[in-house]
Amino acid sequence: MQSGWRRAPLFVYFGAMAAPAMLLPAIVAYFADDHQTARPFLYGAILTGFAVAVLALTLMNRTPKVTARSHLLALIGTYLMLPLWLAVPLILVVPTLTPVVGYLEMVSALTTTGLPLIDPPGSVPQTVHLYRGVVGWLGGFMILLAAAAIMAPLNIGGFEIRSVIHGKQPGAGWAQIGAADASDRLIRTLAGLLPVYTGLTAVLFVLLALSGQDTFHAFMEAMSVMSTSGIRADDLYVGGSWLGEGIVAAFLIIAITSILYDPARWRAADSYSTDPELRLLLALIIIVPGLLFLRHWLATFDVEGGREDGFILGLQALWGAIFTTLSFIATFGQESRYWQTAQDWSGLPTPGIVLMGLMMIGGGVATTAGGMKLLRIYALYKHGSRELRRLTLPHSIGGSGQTARRIRTEGAFIAWIFVMLFLGGLSLLMLGLTFAGLSFEQSLMLGVTTLANTGPGYELLSADPVRVIDFDPTIQLILAAGMILGRVEALAFIALLNPDFWRR
């Protein structure tokens, strides 16, 4: 019996996540005496559990041919089809939402994009926000599972750079996916990741509650931070206080570097100082806020008289730049409470191009963050710095060991291919949005935020953003496609077009 359950397709396991996502809001609404809201979620949880059980029983005795294609198709199909089912109770609870908006909301949550659709947040019950947050949290866990159980053996999702670093061929993983049962690998990965992911969320929830936040908002904040979805139940500043903001910043670093998710890195704790992702992240947190602070400081340099609290405002502006930079690299997309202070201090508008660049960089490999990944950017940086050195010293030797040479050559080559695919996908997405009626600026902002899975950042890129819920359904469906493309990455879609890949 146990081996039969292990032969169930991957999308059955992914679909099983929908039942607890609906059950928790139903329980909360029931104890709040909001039975009208509780019923759709309760009935949805029951039907989901029943459908998943029947589907698993139907397919458990078959012996499918395990291929790389089946795993990628299961992952892509989950992002395409599961939001249709998840949107049903949401539309029943909030009848003002159209089916397309409900689908887009669930795609946004499942891909941890967190694109703001419900505006104002107080227009719907808090249970609806809880449902969005739970789906986003489960979506973050799903991408962690997919990264370890699907993308790592296939050498995609940033793992192709890690393979090069360790001396493996970029395509060496294509045959590994069929060597072991996918369900066994998924179950083993789940057993290792779930306690860590849940434990970190619980610790963050307790810390935020102790810092002064109420229970509900602390719980929502903890889920949105660990999944880097940025989904919140209000339009207030993140963290609830300056202390809560600092706690959120610390956990964002954990969430986007896979320090605690990868057991191999636990055993190599002494290598954190040489970890390329951590080094690049630290450099960005120092350089970008420093330049932003200098930009604000120069704008106030010629102000006569000054202010007595100028030093305090300067420190607040510096912290606001540090937190917002970290938030956008993590594809969390929320601004610091002192970000507006920095703008008021200098009188300068939001540097939208800088924020778009940060969200495109993204977080680490095998994390919930989107974007192009820190490791790929690091490989391009090492290659670029070596080429610049050769311009002045043509006969110099690169050195730094074999690993560094592999990063500068094969690693940079693969990273550059992905960057071109990412920019190509962004171009297609912008063309679609432009043909649908949006301006170039709107298409650029929405294209970057969806492809980098940084939905909350959309409202910060423009002084007067247009509400996504007011767009045409065609535009909303294009945005949903962009979120899925950004979450799965263009490299996976390109792999499905390879005839050799389908024959494996």
Side-chain angles (χ1 to χ4, degrees):
M1 177 66 70
Q2 185 179 12
S3 61
W5 282 101
R6 290 176 181 271
R7 286 198 296 268
L10 287 182
F11 65 84
V12 173
Y13 291 91
F14 290 145
M17 296 181 179
M22 298 176 185
L23 185 59
L24 182 59
I27 295 173
V28 172
Y30 173 79
F31 284 104
D33 292 329
D34 188 3
H35 302 292
Q36 185 175 0
T37 302
R39 289 191 191 98
F41 288 116
L42 178 62
Y43 298 157
I46 295 173
L47 289 175
T48 300
F50 178 77
V52 169
V54 170
L55 191 61
L57 287 171
T58 304
L59 301 175
M60 63 186 298
N61 289 324
R62 71 187 187 97
T63 55
K65 181 182 179 181
V66 181
T67 62
R69 172 180 56 87
S70 65
H71 292 75
L72 279 183
L73 288 177
L75 183 62
I76 296 172
T78 300
Y79 281 119
L80 285 172
M81 304 305 297
L82 186 58
L84 290 173
W85 184 257
L86 292 171
V88 174
L90 180 66
I91 296 173
L92 293 176
V93 173
V94 189
T96 56
L97 296 181
T98 64
V100 175
V101 173
Y103 175 75
L104 178 62
E105 177 64 60
M106 289 296 97
V107 171
S108 175
L110 195 64
T111 58
T112 70
T113 303
L115 191 68
L117 293 170
I118 300 177
D119 187 23
S123 60
V124 298
Q126 284 191 335
T127 311
V128 173
H129 293 299
L130 177 63
Y131 181 56
R132 296 171 57 236
V134 171
V135 172
W137 186 81
L138 290 174
F141 183 66
M142 190 176 82
I143 194 60
L144 289 177
L145 276 179
I150 299 177
M151 295 182 180
L154 290 176
N155 283 339
I156 58 177
F159 288 97
E160 71 277 7
I161 308 296
R162 286 191 178 181
S163 296
V164 168
I165 292 176
H166 292 92
K168 300 178 182 178
Q169 294 296 323
W174 293 112
Q176 297 177 15
I177 194 72
D181 184 73
S183 300
D184 287 337
R185 183 169 52 253
L186 194 72
I187 292 173
R188 290 194 303 268
T189 306
L190 186 146
L193 284 178
L194 185 59
V196 178
Y197 189 68
T198 306
L200 288 173
T201 306
V203 171
L204 179 56
F205 163 66
V206 172
L207 291 177
L208 289 175
L210 292 176
S211 69
Q213 271 195 309
D214 63 87
T215 304
F216 176 77
H217 289 93
F219 185 61
M220 287 287 298
E221 200 83 57
M223 291 191 298
S224 67
V225 169
M226 295 314 304
S227 63
T228 64
S229 64
I231 297 175
R232 308 184 66 233
D234 54 48
D235 53 2
L236 302 177
Y237 289 113
V238 66
S241 64
W242 64 269
L243 178 60
E245 196 170 285
I247 295 172
V248 167
F251 275 81
L252 279 177
I253 295 176
I254 296 174
I256 65 174
T257 53
S258 70
I259 293 175
L260 299 180
Y261 295 142
D262 190 351
R265 301 184 72 178
W266 302 348
R267 297 186 291 268
D270 56 340
S271 64
Y272 288 162
S273 59
T274 60
D275 186 273
E277 291 180 345
L278 282 176
R279 293 172 62 186
L280 181 57
L281 177 62
L282 182 61
L284 291 172
I285 293 176
I286 293 175
I287 295 173
V288 177
L291 294 176
L292 291 176
F293 176 77
L294 183 62
R295 172 178 179 261
H296 295 309
W297 182 77
L298 290 176
T300 61
F301 184 74
D302 57 350
V303 177
E304 296 182 0
R307 296 176 55 177
E308 294 181 358
D309 57 349
F311 179 73
I312 301 299
L313 289 175
L315 291 180
Q316 291 177 350
L318 180 59
W319 169 252
I322 292 174
F323 180 87
T324 305
T325 297
L326 175 62
S327 175
F328 273 75
I329 293 175
T331 65
F332 184 60
Q334 297 287 351
E335 62 180 313
S336 168
R337 64 181 55 252
Y338 300 118
W339 180 252
Q340 187 63 41
T341 301
Q343 297 182 65
D344 295 338
W345 180 50
S346 63
L348 295 176
T350 296
I353 296 297
V354 175
L355 297 181
M356 281 193 286
L358 291 174
M359 67 173 71
M360 289 174 66
I361 291 175
V365 176
T367 64
T368 58
M372 292 185 287
K373 306 302 183 185
L374 289 167
L375 191 59
R376 294 189 178 109
I377 304 301
Y378 179 81
L380 293 176
Y381 160 74
K382 296 298 290 185
H383 176 74
S385 62
R386 172 58 186 156
E387 291 300 313
L388 289 175
R389 190 177 298 112
R390 290 179 63 185
L391 289 176
T392 55
L393 300 172
H395 301 290
S396 63
I397 300 176
S400 300
Q402 188 176 9
T403 299
R405 287 194 294 272
R406 286 197 291 258
I407 293 177
R408 293 194 300 261
T409 54
E410 294 96 335
F413 176 75
I414 299 172
W416 182 249
I417 291 177
F418 177 83
V419 170
M420 291 297 99
L421 291 175
F422 185 92
L423 296 178
L426 177 60
S427 301
L428 292 176
L429 191 58
M430 290 178 60
L431 283 175
L433 293 174
T434 303
F435 286 142
L438 296 185
S439 64
F440 175 81
E441 292 79 6
Q442 290 176 325
S443 300
L444 177 61
M445 291 187 296
L446 285 169
V448 173
T449 53
T450 54
L451 201 60
N453 302 119
T454 318
Y458 165 67
E459 295 185 340
L460 198 61
L461 297 179
S462 174
D464 188 22
V466 181
R467 297 196 313 169
V468 179
I469 197 173
D470 296 332
F471 287 137
D472 186 80
T474 303
I475 297 176
Q476 294 170 350
L477 290 177
I478 294 175
L479 294 178
M483 297 176 194
I484 297 173
L485 177 63
R487 184 78 280 179
V488 182
E489 294 192 352
L491 196 59
F493 286 92
I494 296 298
L496 292 175
L497 302 178
N498 185 359
D500 294 334
F501 177 72
W502 282 73
R503 286 195 291 267
R504 291 183 184 273

